Amino acid sequence: ALAHFSMRDTSLQAQQEAWAWEEKELQEASEGWHLRLQKIRQVAEQASRDQEEGEGRLRILQGRAKLLKEKTRQYAIQAGNSKEMLKRAGDRPELRHDALVKRAEEYHQLVAESAPLQVKLKSYQDLPPDKASAMIEIEKMRQRVCVVQAELENVCAAALE
């Protein structure tokens, strides 16, 4: 009978050890699941906050889109009214934007082409406006040129001697 109790005691100890080990495993697993559950709750709360923030932004953007659509409609009406007013006032194609831009480009091209001519004309500004005065001025310049040539010849002759 003692052997029977001893065997029974050993089997109870083995069963108690198995239960203790299983209890420990279950406790560790439940702690792990508890941590995972906390993490899931945190992620869910963050997602909820993000969703609320996104919905707020969406409402703002929808309001802005509505405003932009209304402004687009107003501008289309205003453009139509302006076109109608231009027709009544006698709109001419040469006064439209693209024609004016083309004219401005032509103007800038002409200014660039005329710049060398303006430089050349500046040299004639010293001449008097009437022909007689101009002839007198030209004669004075010829005399100066003759004087300078005579001086140059004198200097050259002196240098050769």
Side-chain angles (χ1 to χ4, degrees):
L2 201 50
H4 180 60
F5 281 121
S6 158
M7 235 167 124
R8 202 166 176 204
D9 190 39
T10 308
S11 107
L12 284 175
Q13 281 180 347
Q15 195 174 18
Q16 283 178 350
E17 287 175 5
W19 286 342
W21 179 80
E22 190 175 334
E23 180 184 9
K24 180 181 171 189
E25 287 291 318
L26 288 173
Q27 190 173 12
E28 288 175 0
S30 67
E31 287 175 3
W33 287 110
H34 181 68
L35 290 174
R36 288 182 187 144
L37 181 61
Q38 284 180 342
K39 188 71 168 175
I40 289 171
R41 285 181 182 157
Q42 288 174 354
V43 168
E45 289 173 3
Q46 182 64 38
S48 176
R49 286 192 298 268
D50 290 347
Q51 180 184 4
E52 291 171 4
E53 185 179 313
E55 288 172 352
R57 279 194 229 141
L58 180 62
R59 282 191 294 274
I60 290 170
L61 291 175
Q62 286 173 339
R64 288 179 183 169
K66 185 178 178 182
L67 178 70
L68 287 174
K69 284 180 183 178
E70 180 62 26
K71 284 189 178 235
T72 302
R73 188 183 67 76
Q74 288 175 353
Y75 290 150
I77 291 171
Q78 186 177 0
N81 292 342
S82 297
K83 284 182 182 178
E84 192 63 36
M85 187 175 66
L86 284 172
K87 283 181 185 177
R88 280 184 270 141
D91 178 35
R92 297 189 324 245
E94 64 268 9
L95 296 178
R96 293 201 176 120
H97 177 72
D98 54 344
L100 292 174
V101 168
K102 185 177 177 183
R103 293 285 180 160
E105 289 172 357
E106 290 172 1
Y107 169 76
H108 290 298
Q109 184 180 8
L110 288 173
V111 166
E113 289 174 1
S114 65
L117 293 174
Q118 287 178 348
V119 169
K120 186 176 180 181
L121 288 175
K122 282 184 183 180
S123 66
Y124 295 110
Q125 287 180 352
D126 294 340
L127 292 176
D130 62 332
K131 188 175 180 180
S133 300
M135 292 302 283
I136 293 171
E137 196 66 33
I138 290 172
E139 191 58 39
K140 285 181 184 177
M141 287 295 175
R142 282 185 184 157
Q143 288 174 3
R144 281 189 191 162
V145 168
C146 286
V147 169
V148 170
Q149 279 182 345
E151 287 178 12
L152 180 64
E153 287 177 4
N154 290 340
V155 169
C156 286
L160 288 176
E161 292 178 357

